[in-house]
Amino acid sequence: DTGVSQDPRHKITKRGQNVTFRCDPISEHNRLYWYRQTLGQGPEFLTYFQNEAQLEKSRLLSDRFSAERPKGSFSTLEIQRTEQGDSAMYLCASSSYEGNTEAFFGQGTRLTVV
Amino acid sequence: AQSVTQLGSHVSVSEGALVLLRCNYSSSVPPYLFWYVQYPNQGLQLLLKYTTGATLVKGINGFEAEFKKSETSFHLTKPSAHMSDAAEYFCAVLNTGNQFYFGTGTSLTVIP
């Protein structure tokens, strides 16, 4: 399977704990996106990488959120001191710099903070 | 600034009837426009896209959309709904900063 892969698919954590999600994009894609989706809403942009460079961060991405893409391949999204409001689906997507411009999405990580 | 408005958060159609999901966008430059479909607890799957060229775009599963610049619209249609079309549909615009902006989605219900 050469699609976008996210791990884990589901995460339940207690408030105040730290969590980390992983995204493996399509191998030849150099752009990687993180989105957050809550029930009944469309995906909201969090951050965007081109290769290893984090080019843009949303204001939604508070200081408790950090994302990395150290070698321009996989990416991690960490949430520190989780709050109940962080409960959402976290979606990763990748796209190619050239050619097709659409983003290919992973199946998401559903985070529940209890 | 780019934004997307999807009119109608819920649409119900009978099986075999026309599907029409509405999307209007605002963009300061010629947009790249997309429709994605999402099934429960799944990621988003591309249905179709408009970048340049022909304004009537055909996608997967019999869906198509027409880019109308004068109306700033990119409505999604399908001549005959199938039960398997029941899902959440999102319109999106890609801005010059390579960010995708999504609408709030339209939930399609197909009535047998």
Side-chain angles (χ1 to χ4, degrees), chain A residues 17-86:
Chain A
Q17 297 295 305
N18 299 344
V19 293
T20 300
F21 309 142
R22 177 179 170 122
C23 172
D24 287 90
I26 294 171
S27 59
E28 62 268 26
H29 285 179
N30 51 13
R31 291 176 178 166
L32 186 146
Y33 304 83
W34 285 99
Y35 284 84
R36 180 170 68 187
Q37 186 180 24
T38 53
L39 195 64
Q41 298 296 316
E44 296 175 297
F45 172 79
L46 292 179
T47 191
Y48 154 59
F49 291 85
Q50 183 157 306
N51 299 314
E52 67 274 12
Q54 188 174 19
L55 296 186
E56 194 149 357
K57 292 170 58 174
S58 165
R59 287 172 295 175
L60 293 174
L61 213 65
S62 76
D63 290 344
R64 297 184 297 105
F65 287 69
S66 62
E68 294 181 344
R69 194 183 184 198
K71 297 182 179 179
S73 56
F74 73 92
S75 175
T76 57
L77 177 68
E78 180 182 17
I79 309 174
Q80 297 182 326
R81 305 181 302 281
T82 53
E83 301 172 356
Q84 286 189 320
D86 297 330

Side-chain angles (χ1 to χ4, degrees), chain B residues 34-57:
Chain B
F34 306 82
W35 275 100
Y36 283 85
V37 61
Q38 185 178 34
Y39 297 99
N41 296 311
Q42 298 292 318
L44 280 69
Q45 179 185 4
L46 181 72
L47 278 177
L48 49 78
K49 66 178 180 180
Y50 169 79
T51 54
T52 59
T55 56
L56 181 63
V57 180

Side-chain angles (χ1 to χ4, degrees), chain A residues 9 31 33 35 37 40-43 45 48 50 56 89 91 95 100-108 110, chain B residues 32 34 36 38 40-46 49-51 88 90 94-95 97-105:
Chain A
R9 291 290 311 278
R31 291 176 178 166
Y33 304 83
Y35 284 84
Q37 186 180 24
Q41 298 296 316
F45 172 79
Y48 154 59
Q50 183 157 306
E56 194 149 357
M89 175 78 90
L91 295 167
S95 70
N100 293 329
T101 54
E102 69 265 32
F104 294 82
F105 282 81
Q107 295 193 322
R110 181 166 295 284
Chain B
Y32 287 179
F34 306 82
Y36 283 85
Q38 185 178 34
N41 296 311
Q42 298 292 318
L44 280 69
Q45 179 185 4
L46 181 72
K49 66 178 180 180
Y50 169 79
T51 54
E88 191 85 15
F90 294 95
L94 178 65
N95 74 357
N98 296 307
Q99 290 182 30
F100 289 85
Y101 287 91
F102 288 84
T104 53

Side-chain angles (χ1 to χ4, degrees), chain B residues 6-65:
Chain B
Q6 291 185 241
L7 295 175
S9 58
H10 298 276
V11 170
S12 294
V13 299
S14 297
E15 190 175 15
L18 171 72
V19 176
L20 171 61
L21 305 182
R22 299 178 185 277
C23 172
N24 288 88
Y25 69 90
S26 66
S27 175
S28 56
V29 297
Y32 287 179
L33 295 161
F34 306 82
W35 275 100
Y36 283 85
V37 61
Q38 185 178 34
Y39 297 99
N41 296 311
Q42 298 292 318
L44 280 69
Q45 179 185 4
L46 181 72
L47 278 177
L48 49 78
K49 66 178 180 180
Y50 169 79
T51 54
T52 59
T55 56
L56 181 63
V57 180
K58 295 185 184 299
I60 62 171
N61 301 337
F63 284 93
E64 62 183 36

